[in-house]
Amino acid sequence: MLKIAIQSKGRLNDESMGLLADAGISAASGSRSLVSRAKGFPMEILYLRDDDIPAAVAMGVADIGIVGLNEVAEKGMDVAEVMRLGFGACRLSIAVPKSVGYDDASWLRGKRIATSYPVILGKYLAEQGLEAEIHEIAGSVEIAPAVGMADAIFDIVSSGGTLIQNGLREVEQVFFSEAALIANKELGEEKLAELDKLIFRLRSILASRGMKYLLMNVPEHSVEAAVELLPGMKSPTVLPLAESGWYSLHAVVPESELWDKIECLKAAGVEDILVLNLENIIK
Ligand code: ATP
Ligand code: MG
């Protein structure tokens, strides 16, 4: 039986649980013990701090895990990145106080940089041929310059709001992260087969996220224009309606293009457009 490690609480917990739930996998008990038996898939769920997930997977305490690529890179653990999961997006960036005259990375030479990611920062500085002092601190990195602990910081950024609140300016984007499914590199045959099943379910869910299913009625003279607007997965389905001269057209479109498409379809003479949520795309 596969053992999956997910973050016990924090930013990745909700979406990790949500993704498993969409895949028909739920934690057996409502109470969050350290380990619980999943329902809907032969799997045990291990709840850990995100920092501990790469090591747990590398050591085989868990077979697979869901964790940010930033933690995987920082911990330097030898695990397989199986698939990216499309949530938990963030970047690791260098930021400096707004008031300093920063032109390029050479400004960092000899400076003190506070971070919780000394390994990734160390690699970046080495690549740039820069020497600087790395101050490892566990939390609230963003206040380090204001209290005189550092000249710059290297920290997680998503919207950048926290930096602005602390009078900082993002100057170098160093590492781009998102949540990923990682796996132990020495899984046996049976576990690999179970992992394949899980990957199949996750792929179908990720493929359907952000997609909508459209159904519409189209008069014969508009069919060609409507098909042109809706490339679909292969091409849209066109079915004749009981009333002659009318067709039903079915298609899958990205949510980001939904309203543009609807406006164009209406202008092309399409009527009665239904928009449905898509749960899965099984290929
Ligand atoms: P834990 O108690 O499990 O160690 P944590 O405090 O280290 O939790 P969280 O703040 O919950 O971690 O963040 C978990 C992960 O979420 C990060 O490592 C990163 O991959 C991702 N993430 C995405 N956006 C952000 C953000 N704006 N700030 C922090 N983490 C983010
Ligand atoms: Mg952590």
Side-chain angles (χ1 to χ4, degrees):
M1 187 169 16
L2 277 179
K3 224 183 243 181
I4 187 170
I6 67 167
Q7 193 191 21
S8 54
K9 54 182 168 37
R11 287 171 197 269
L12 302 179
N13 173 268
D14 260 9
E15 298 217 56
S16 303
M17 298 290 284
L19 184 61
L20 292 178
D22 286 352
I25 303 166
S26 59
S29 70
S31 71
R32 292 282 171 76
S33 47
L34 177 63
V35 191
S36 74
R37 172 77 170 82
K39 269 191 194 150
F41 200 80
M43 192 155 90
E44 272 185 321
I45 305 178
L46 203 60
Y47 300 96
L48 298 177
R49 285 198 57 187
D50 71 340
D51 309 59
D52 297 331
I53 293 176
V57 172
M59 289 160 58
V61 173
D63 303 305
I64 57 176
I66 296 179
V67 68
L69 290 171
N70 54 320
E71 287 299 328
V72 178
E74 180 62 26
K75 298 297 184 296
M77 291 289 162
D78 193 20
V79 294
E81 182 189 318
V82 178
M83 64 191 287
R84 297 182 178 213
L85 300 173
F87 63 87
C90 59
R91 54 191 186 269
L92 288 170
S93 294
I94 294 177
V96 301
K98 261 193 329 230
S99 53
V100 308
Y102 182 103
D103 290 326
D104 58 44
S106 65
W107 182 90
L108 298 166
R109 203 164 266 134
K111 297 288 199 300
R112 296 165 306 162
I113 311 173
T115 187
S116 308
Y117 293 90
V119 172
I120 299 174
L121 176 59
K123 272 195 193 144
Y124 169 77
L125 293 172
E127 275 164 23
Q128 301 292 314
L130 297 169
E131 277 189 31
E133 263 182 60
I134 299 177
H135 280 262
E136 183 174 354
I137 51 179
S140 304
V141 171
E142 65 282 356
I143 63 162
V147 300
M149 273 173 67
D151 305 302
I153 66 163
F154 177 63
D155 202 9
I156 291 186
V157 180
S158 50
S159 68
T162 312
L163 293 182
I164 293 168
Q165 274 169 24
N166 287 282
L168 298 168
R169 177 161 70 97
E170 183 178 11
V171 290
E172 305 291 342
Q173 301 187 341
V174 173
F175 186 92
F176 291 86
S177 179
E178 69 180 278
L181 181 68
I182 57 168
N184 180 278
K185 284 193 166 169
E186 272 142 31
L187 294 182
E189 233 170 81
E190 199 177 312
K191 286 189 171 172
L192 281 175
E194 286 171 356
L195 177 57
D196 273 347
K197 284 189 196 161
L198 178 67
I199 292 169
F200 178 79
R201 292 194 192 186
L202 297 182
R203 285 225 171 98
S204 325
I205 293 157
L206 296 181
S208 70
R209 284 195 173 166
M211 304 295 267
K212 295 283 183 190
Y213 191 80
L214 296 192
L215 279 160
M216 64 207 81
N217 292 334
V218 190
E220 190 155 19
H221 60 86
S222 301
V223 168
E224 204 177 317
V227 168
E228 191 84 351
L229 285 165
L230 297 165
M233 278 190 279
K234 287 202 170 54
S235 64
T237 308
V238 182
L239 300 166
L241 291 184
E243 189 181 330
S244 80
W246 282 84
Y247 291 84
S248 170
L249 211 140
H250 304 208
V252 174
V253 300
E255 207 171 346
S256 56
E257 297 172 16
L258 182 67
W259 292 104
D260 275 352
K261 291 281 183 210
I262 287 176
E263 281 159 20
C264 297
L265 288 164
K266 281 179 73 76
V270 171
E271 294 181 12
D272 311 320
I273 303 174
L274 300 185
V275 182
L276 307 178
N277 286 327
L278 251 186
E279 267 183 31
N280 278 303
I281 297 180
I282 316 272
K283 294 235 178 191

